[in-house]
């Protein structure tokens, strides 16, 4: 149901992704995340093509945190910022730290589904519009390729 991966660039960190659909208490969860009751990033899955996007955003957030160049106040808000605008949950914890997955699962009033099914919740039209993906791009690569390219170069251009 969840996806847990150790980061290659930061092997001391592990990323756990949880995916929920039909979440009924999204507003309450957002308040809890802002107040620090939820230690994780809440992400709108309709704007995610693939779990790889979340790994890229997390790697970038950790890199910027270690370099002291984050644009936001917390690692989790930096992950959301790196994904670009916009109830998928991302947890990041260092080796030896407690993973609070059970705590978060108990707070979400929705159906948990396997993370690899995130594309079933994606709004492709909105994603293409948000990331300004052209039809020509889609001829030479996937939508994920276009999105990842824009995420990776977001601060460079």
């Amino acid at each position: 149901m969840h996806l847990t991966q150790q980061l290659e660039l930061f092997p001391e960190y592990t990323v756990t992704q949880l995916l929920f659909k039909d979440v009924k208490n999204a507003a309450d969860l957002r308040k809890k995340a802002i107040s620090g009751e939820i230690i994780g990033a809440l992400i709108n899955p309709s704007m995610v093509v693939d779990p790889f996007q979340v790994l890229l955003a997390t790697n970038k957030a950790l890199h910027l945190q270690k370099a002291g160049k984050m644009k936001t106040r917390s690692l989790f808000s930096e992950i959301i910022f790196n994904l670009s605008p916009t109830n998928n949950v991302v947890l990041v914890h260092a080796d030896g730290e407690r993973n609070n997955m059970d705590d978060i699962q108990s707070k979400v009033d929705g159906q948990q589904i396997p993370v690899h099914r995130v594309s079933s919740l994606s709004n492709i039209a909105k994603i293409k519009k948000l990331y300004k993906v052209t039809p020509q791009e889609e001829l030479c690569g996937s939508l994920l390729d276009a999105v990842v390219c824009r995420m990776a170069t977001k601060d460079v251009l």
Side-chain angles (χ1 to χ4, degrees), residues 73-103:
R73 287 189 252 165
S74 76
L75 178 64
F76 300 112
S77 60
E78 194 73 15
I79 291 169
I80 295 167
F81 178 79
N82 288 327
L83 278 167
S84 266
T86 31
N87 273 10
N88 194 359
V89 178
V90 180
L91 311 173
V92 181
H93 49 91
D95 287 345
E97 283 184 357
R98 183 180 161 275
N99 181 340
N100 58 345
M101 185 170 58
D102 294 335
D103 181 51

Short mmCIF file of all heavy atoms in Angstrom, two decimals, residues 73-103:
data_model
loop_
_atom_site.label_atom_id
_atom_site.label_comp_id
_atom_site.label_asym_id
_atom_site.label_seq_id
_atom_site.Cartn_x
_atom_site.Cartn_y
_atom_site.Cartn_z
N ARG A 73 9.92 27.37 4.91
CA ARG A 73 10.40 27.23 6.29
C ARG A 73 10.63 25.81 6.76
O ARG A 73 11.25 25.59 7.79
CB ARG A 73 9.42 27.91 7.24
CG ARG A 73 9.49 29.41 7.15
CD ARG A 73 8.68 30.03 8.23
NE ARG A 73 7.49 30.61 7.60
CZ ARG A 73 6.43 30.99 8.24
NH1 ARG A 73 6.35 30.83 9.53
NH2 ARG A 73 5.42 31.52 7.60
N SER A 74 10.09 24.82 6.02
CA SER A 74 10.27 23.44 6.49
C SER A 74 10.58 22.52 5.32
O SER A 74 10.29 22.85 4.16
CB SER A 74 9.01 22.94 7.22
OG SER A 74 8.00 22.62 6.28
N LEU A 75 11.13 21.37 5.62
CA LEU A 75 11.45 20.39 4.60
C LEU A 75 10.19 19.97 3.84
O LEU A 75 10.19 19.85 2.62
CB LEU A 75 12.11 19.16 5.24
CG LEU A 75 12.46 18.02 4.30
CD1 LEU A 75 13.50 18.44 3.27
CD2 LEU A 75 12.95 16.82 5.09
N PHE A 76 9.09 19.78 4.56
CA PHE A 76 7.87 19.31 3.93
C PHE A 76 7.24 20.36 3.02
O PHE A 76 6.73 20.05 1.95
CB PHE A 76 6.87 18.80 4.98
CG PHE A 76 7.47 17.67 5.77
CD1 PHE A 76 7.79 17.82 7.11
CD2 PHE A 76 7.74 16.45 5.16
CE1 PHE A 76 8.35 16.77 7.82
CE2 PHE A 76 8.31 15.41 5.86
CZ PHE A 76 8.62 15.57 7.19
N SER A 77 7.27 21.61 3.44
CA SER A 77 6.75 22.66 2.55
C SER A 77 7.67 22.85 1.35
O SER A 77 7.21 23.18 0.25
CB SER A 77 6.54 23.97 3.30
OG SER A 77 7.75 24.45 3.85
N GLU A 78 8.96 22.58 1.52
CA GLU A 78 9.90 22.66 0.41
C GLU A 78 9.62 21.55 -0.61
O GLU A 78 9.73 21.77 -1.82
CB GLU A 78 11.35 22.56 0.93
CG GLU A 78 12.39 22.95 -0.08
CD GLU A 78 12.47 24.45 -0.35
OE1 GLU A 78 11.92 25.26 0.43
OE2 GLU A 78 13.09 24.83 -1.36
N ILE A 79 9.24 20.37 -0.14
CA ILE A 79 8.86 19.28 -1.05
C ILE A 79 7.67 19.71 -1.89
O ILE A 79 7.66 19.55 -3.12
CB ILE A 79 8.54 17.98 -0.26
CG1 ILE A 79 9.80 17.42 0.37
CG2 ILE A 79 7.89 16.94 -1.18
CD1 ILE A 79 9.55 16.31 1.38
N ILE A 80 6.66 20.28 -1.24
CA ILE A 80 5.46 20.74 -1.95
C ILE A 80 5.83 21.84 -2.94
O ILE A 80 5.40 21.83 -4.09
CB ILE A 80 4.39 21.21 -0.96
CG1 ILE A 80 3.89 20.02 -0.13
CG2 ILE A 80 3.23 21.88 -1.68
CD1 ILE A 80 3.06 20.39 1.08
N PHE A 81 6.66 22.76 -2.52
CA PHE A 81 7.11 23.84 -3.40
C PHE A 81 7.82 23.28 -4.62
O PHE A 81 7.61 23.71 -5.74
CB PHE A 81 8.02 24.80 -2.64
CG PHE A 81 8.57 25.91 -3.49
CD1 PHE A 81 7.79 27.01 -3.81
CD2 PHE A 81 9.86 25.84 -3.99
CE1 PHE A 81 8.30 28.03 -4.61
CE2 PHE A 81 10.38 26.85 -4.79
CZ PHE A 81 9.59 27.95 -5.10
N ASN A 82 8.68 22.28 -4.41
CA ASN A 82 9.43 21.69 -5.51
C ASN A 82 8.55 20.91 -6.47
O ASN A 82 8.88 20.76 -7.64
CB ASN A 82 10.56 20.80 -5.00
CG ASN A 82 11.68 21.60 -4.39
OD1 ASN A 82 11.98 22.71 -4.83
ND2 ASN A 82 12.31 21.07 -3.38
N LEU A 83 7.44 20.40 -5.98
CA LEU A 83 6.49 19.72 -6.87
C LEU A 83 5.75 20.72 -7.72
O LEU A 83 5.17 20.37 -8.73
CB LEU A 83 5.48 18.90 -6.06
CG LEU A 83 5.96 17.55 -5.63
CD1 LEU A 83 5.02 16.97 -4.59
CD2 LEU A 83 6.07 16.61 -6.81
N SER A 84 5.77 21.93 -7.31
CA SER A 84 5.04 23.03 -7.91
C SER A 84 3.66 23.10 -7.32
O SER A 84 3.34 22.32 -6.43
CB SER A 84 5.02 22.94 -9.42
OG SER A 84 6.07 23.69 -9.95
N PRO A 85 2.82 24.00 -7.81
CA PRO A 85 1.56 24.25 -7.15
C PRO A 85 0.79 23.00 -6.78
O PRO A 85 0.87 22.01 -7.43
CB PRO A 85 0.78 25.06 -8.17
CG PRO A 85 1.79 25.67 -9.01
CD PRO A 85 2.96 24.76 -9.01
N THR A 86 0.10 23.21 -6.00
CA THR A 86 -0.81 22.46 -5.26
C THR A 86 -0.05 21.90 -4.22
O THR A 86 0.67 22.80 -3.76
CB THR A 86 -1.60 21.48 -6.08
OG1 THR A 86 -0.97 21.01 -7.09
CG2 THR A 86 -2.94 21.83 -5.91
N ASN A 87 -4.87 13.59 -1.88
CA ASN A 87 -4.18 13.73 -0.61
C ASN A 87 -3.22 12.56 -0.54
O ASN A 87 -3.52 11.57 0.04
CB ASN A 87 -5.22 13.69 0.44
CG ASN A 87 -5.78 15.07 0.67
OD1 ASN A 87 -5.54 16.00 -0.05
ND2 ASN A 87 -6.50 15.15 1.72
N ASN A 88 -2.03 12.83 -1.24
CA ASN A 88 -0.90 11.93 -1.13
C ASN A 88 -0.07 12.45 0.05
O ASN A 88 -0.04 13.63 0.31
CB ASN A 88 -0.10 12.03 -2.43
CG ASN A 88 0.90 10.96 -2.62
OD1 ASN A 88 1.07 10.08 -1.80
ND2 ASN A 88 1.58 11.01 -3.72
N VAL A 89 0.57 11.56 0.76
CA VAL A 89 1.36 11.97 1.92
C VAL A 89 2.78 11.51 1.72
O VAL A 89 3.02 10.38 1.32
CB VAL A 89 0.79 11.36 3.22
CG1 VAL A 89 1.64 11.75 4.41
CG2 VAL A 89 -0.65 11.77 3.44
N VAL A 90 3.72 12.37 2.03
CA VAL A 90 5.13 12.02 1.94
C VAL A 90 5.76 12.20 3.31
O VAL A 90 5.61 13.25 3.93
CB VAL A 90 5.87 12.94 0.93
CG1 VAL A 90 7.33 12.57 0.85
CG2 VAL A 90 5.22 12.87 -0.43
N LEU A 91 6.45 11.19 3.76
CA LEU A 91 7.18 11.24 5.03
C LEU A 91 8.66 11.10 4.74
O LEU A 91 9.05 10.27 3.92
CB LEU A 91 6.74 10.10 5.95
CG LEU A 91 5.24 9.88 6.13
CD1 LEU A 91 5.00 8.62 6.92
CD2 LEU A 91 4.63 11.07 6.83
N VAL A 92 9.48 11.86 5.41
CA VAL A 92 10.92 11.74 5.28
C VAL A 92 11.48 11.58 6.67
O VAL A 92 11.15 12.36 7.57
CB VAL A 92 11.55 13.00 4.62
CG1 VAL A 92 13.05 12.83 4.48
CG2 VAL A 92 10.90 13.28 3.27
N HIS A 93 12.29 10.56 6.86
CA HIS A 93 12.88 10.38 8.17
C HIS A 93 14.29 9.85 8.04
O HIS A 93 14.60 9.07 7.14
CB HIS A 93 12.01 9.45 9.04
CG HIS A 93 11.62 8.18 8.36
ND1 HIS A 93 12.37 7.03 8.44
CD2 HIS A 93 10.58 7.89 7.55
CE1 HIS A 93 11.79 6.09 7.72
NE2 HIS A 93 10.71 6.59 7.17
N ALA A 94 15.15 10.33 8.91
CA ALA A 94 16.54 9.87 8.92
C ALA A 94 16.60 8.48 9.51
O ALA A 94 15.70 8.06 10.26
CB ALA A 94 17.39 10.84 9.74
N ASP A 95 17.66 7.75 9.18
CA ASP A 95 17.84 6.42 9.75
C ASP A 95 17.79 6.52 11.26
O ASP A 95 18.35 7.43 11.86
CB ASP A 95 19.19 5.82 9.33
CG ASP A 95 19.20 5.41 7.87
OD1 ASP A 95 18.12 5.31 7.27
OD2 ASP A 95 20.30 5.17 7.35
N GLY A 96 17.10 5.60 11.87
CA GLY A 96 16.99 5.58 13.32
C GLY A 96 15.83 6.39 13.86
O GLY A 96 15.43 6.20 15.01
N GLU A 97 15.27 7.29 13.06
CA GLU A 97 14.10 8.05 13.50
C GLU A 97 12.85 7.21 13.35
O GLU A 97 12.77 6.35 12.48
CB GLU A 97 13.92 9.33 12.66
CG GLU A 97 14.86 10.44 13.00
CD GLU A 97 14.56 11.69 12.19
OE1 GLU A 97 13.66 11.68 11.33
OE2 GLU A 97 15.24 12.69 12.43
N ARG A 98 11.88 7.48 14.19
CA ARG A 98 10.60 6.76 14.14
C ARG A 98 9.81 7.21 12.90
O ARG A 98 9.68 8.39 12.64
CB ARG A 98 9.80 7.07 15.40
CG ARG A 98 8.49 6.33 15.50
CD ARG A 98 7.77 6.71 16.81
NE ARG A 98 6.38 6.40 16.73
CZ ARG A 98 5.45 7.18 16.19
NH1 ARG A 98 5.78 8.32 15.68
NH2 ARG A 98 4.19 6.81 16.18
N ASN A 99 9.29 6.25 12.16
CA ASN A 99 8.44 6.53 11.02
C ASN A 99 7.02 6.66 11.56
O ASN A 99 6.49 5.74 12.18
CB ASN A 99 8.53 5.38 10.01
CG ASN A 99 7.70 5.61 8.78
OD1 ASN A 99 6.77 6.40 8.78
ND2 ASN A 99 8.02 4.90 7.72
N ASN A 100 6.37 7.78 11.35
CA ASN A 100 5.06 8.04 11.93
C ASN A 100 3.91 7.67 10.98
O ASN A 100 2.85 8.27 11.01
CB ASN A 100 4.94 9.50 12.38
CG ASN A 100 5.18 10.48 11.25
OD1 ASN A 100 5.69 10.12 10.20
ND2 ASN A 100 4.82 11.72 11.47
N MET A 101 4.11 6.66 10.15
CA MET A 101 3.12 6.25 9.17
C MET A 101 1.80 5.85 9.82
O MET A 101 0.73 6.24 9.38
CB MET A 101 3.67 5.10 8.33
CG MET A 101 2.78 4.68 7.20
SD MET A 101 3.56 3.54 6.05
CE MET A 101 4.02 2.19 7.10
N ASP A 102 1.85 5.07 10.89
CA ASP A 102 0.62 4.63 11.57
C ASP A 102 -0.17 5.81 12.10
O ASP A 102 -1.40 5.84 12.01
CB ASP A 102 0.94 3.66 12.71
CG ASP A 102 1.52 2.35 12.21
OD1 ASP A 102 1.26 1.99 11.05
OD2 ASP A 102 2.23 1.69 12.99
N ASP A 103 0.52 6.81 12.64
CA ASP A 103 -0.13 7.99 13.17
C ASP A 103 -0.88 8.73 12.06
O ASP A 103 -2.03 9.14 12.24
CB ASP A 103 0.91 8.91 13.82
CG ASP A 103 0.30 10.16 14.42
OD1 ASP A 103 -0.68 10.04 15.19
OD2 ASP A 103 0.79 11.26 14.10
#
